[in-house]
Amino acid sequence: MSEIKGLFKNMPKLVIGDLIANLPIVQGGMGVGISLSSLATAVANEGGIGVISAVGIGMDEQDFVKNSREANKRAFRNEIRKAKEQTSGIIGVNIMVAISDYKEIVKVAVEEGADIIFSGAGLPMELPNLVGKKSKTKLVPIVSSARAARIILKRWIEKYDCVPDAFVLEGPMAGGHLGFKKEQIFDSNYSLERLVPEVINEVKKYEIKYNINIPIIVGGGIYSGEDIYKFINMGASGVQMGTRFVATYECDASMEFKQSYIDCKEEDIVIIKSPVGLPGRAIRNKFLDDVKNNLKEPFNCPFKCIRTCDYKKSPYCISLALFNAKKGNLKDGFVFAGQNAYKISELLSVKKLVESLKAEYSLGYN
């Protein structure tokens, strides 16, 4: 370890407007209770950007079935407040465009002083209007292509006279729902390495024209400090990492959920067809095998939480399945994970994980 310290090079800071993260790492927003205040606070305290995911956040509330919208707002508000009480670092929130109560949840984030709103699973075309010009909350769309970034930039400039404070470019190796067609996921033309320069070059046109800085944060398969070094060397300002933070003590998921990451093998990482109409990456288990073999029955949806969910044709409720997994009931649910989840072999503290990423980053110089 002393030899590594001798070679140590600091990661650059991530600057988003007047926010400065000493660690250029955004912890990915992982929905239905995986990244709440505990994980977000731990990452923020290490100098990164901690993120609370809004999707399905109210499912632990007693009145969720009868009053899901109020339950979501209440739980979301409480998690932001808890995080803000436990850290002076940067706390962001991840709000999917596709959720049915998107506008209400965005309003809560602004009211509670979230530092950043990350928004994907659709293009957040109305986000500046929902937030308002007086808000200090930074707005960061999540995109999967240069075209998506261009569409957002043109719309925000023409309609709201503003630009995003940053972009997250999420590639096809990410966990959970993916912004790619199934045939694109393993196509090298859509690799993160191919997408990064395309998005940087597209955004650069607007930076020059309007004399502004729009950082690009890249995610999807970022596993090691050497990966961080590679993409920052390609021109990214920071990275988004979700999967690596699941197998930490501070992650808000159950131990059974975390153990599925530690135990899985490469061949266990599979692409599924999600009820919300997108491909998703998950860890294969009996629940998913039963779905594939048509052993699950259609259901009546009590939640209506995702606008794009075709629940009448779906053999299961994805929100309930993910919530069950979060609580440790993998018999009635499954786990989303990034392509590199199988590389994880142990549970760490966020602090230890960050230390290892810093050391690995330093080795990228040598």
Side-chain angles (χ1 to χ4, degrees), residues 192-193 196 218 222 227-236 239:
L192 191 55
E193 289 81 357
V196 167
V218 303
I222 309 293
D227 291 337
I228 299 172
Y229 173 79
K230 177 176 74 172
F231 285 105
I232 286 180
N233 205 39
M234 288 179 67
V239 299

Side-chain angles (χ1 to χ4, degrees), residues 339-353:
Q339 183 61 36
N340 290 318
Y342 71 94
K343 296 180 180 179
I344 294 172
S345 60
E346 62 180 330
L347 199 64
L348 297 171
S349 67
V350 167
K351 186 176 188 64
K352 285 289 186 184
L353 174 57

Side-chain angles (χ1 to χ4, degrees), residues 93-230:
V93 295
N94 184 294
I95 308 176
M96 291 170 54
V97 176
I99 60 175
S100 300
D101 49 356
Y102 180 71
K103 294 179 181 180
E104 300 163 62
I105 291 295
V106 166
K107 184 179 179 182
V108 172
V110 174
E111 289 173 352
E112 294 302 321
D115 294 307
I116 306 172
I117 293 175
F118 297 93
S119 194
L123 301 183
M125 305 298 268
E126 297 182 66
L127 188 55
N129 187 50
L130 299 176
V131 170
K133 288 188 176 292
K134 293 182 180 180
S135 172
K136 293 182 179 180
T137 300
K138 304 294 183 285
L139 307 182
V140 181
I142 301 171
V143 298
S144 57
S145 68
R147 178 177 178 272
R150 180 170 65 251
I151 290 170
I152 293 169
L153 281 160
K154 290 182 70 174
R155 175 64 175 264
W156 285 22
I157 290 167
E158 290 171 2
K159 193 162 185 179
Y160 308 114
D161 191 29
C162 72
V163 298
D165 294 288
F167 279 103
V168 170
L169 168 62
E170 195 170 274
M173 295 299 112
H177 291 117
L178 306 172
F180 297 86
K181 297 177 181 178
K182 188 174 180 180
E183 61 270 20
Q184 295 173 335
I185 293 172
F186 294 103
D187 185 337
S188 61
N189 289 316
Y190 298 92
S191 69
L192 191 55
E193 289 81 357
R194 181 70 67 89
L195 295 173
V196 167
E198 293 177 359
V199 172
I200 288 175
N201 291 337
E202 183 64 40
V203 173
K204 181 64 69 178
K205 300 173 189 175
Y206 292 85
E207 289 183 311
I208 293 171
K209 184 175 181 180
Y210 295 98
N211 191 30
I212 51 175
N213 181 48
I214 307 175
I216 306 299
I217 300 156
V218 303
I222 309 293
Y223 183 84
S224 67
E226 291 166 301
D227 291 337
I228 299 172
Y229 173 79
K230 177 176 74 172

